[in-house]
Amino acid sequence: MTTVHRPGAPGATTAPGASGRRPGQWPAIPTPEDLRAQLVRERARRELTLGSIRASLAEQPSANAVRAAARRWITDVLATAEDVAKSKMERNT
């Protein structure tokens, strides 16, 4: 037997979900200030991260050591990206 859930029927979920919205409710449209603040946060995070990587590379004693360290950073970033992508795929299934 197939169960059909109808909005407003007993047992239907009307409480806000994880997003803070009720089912069927449109998402809030971010204001230009919110978007600008998000962009500033993302840029700051990127600059801090790249600054840290640059400092690590600058500590290397030779050009070959710099290139080897850069390859290790690349490997670590790609491995992290794969882990994050895998967890997002698992969460969406």
Side-chain angles (χ1 to χ4, degrees), residues 30-45:
T31 64
E33 293 81 21
D34 292 340
L35 293 173
R36 202 170 298 114
Q38 181 182 356
L39 178 62
V40 168
R41 285 191 305 271
E42 290 173 359
R43 282 184 182 168
R45 184 182 311 125

Side-chain angles (χ1 to χ4, degrees), residues 15-36:
S19 67
R21 293 183 285 126
R22 294 190 180 278
Q25 186 180 20
W26 287 96
I29 298 173
T31 64
E33 293 81 21
D34 292 340
L35 293 173
R36 202 170 298 114

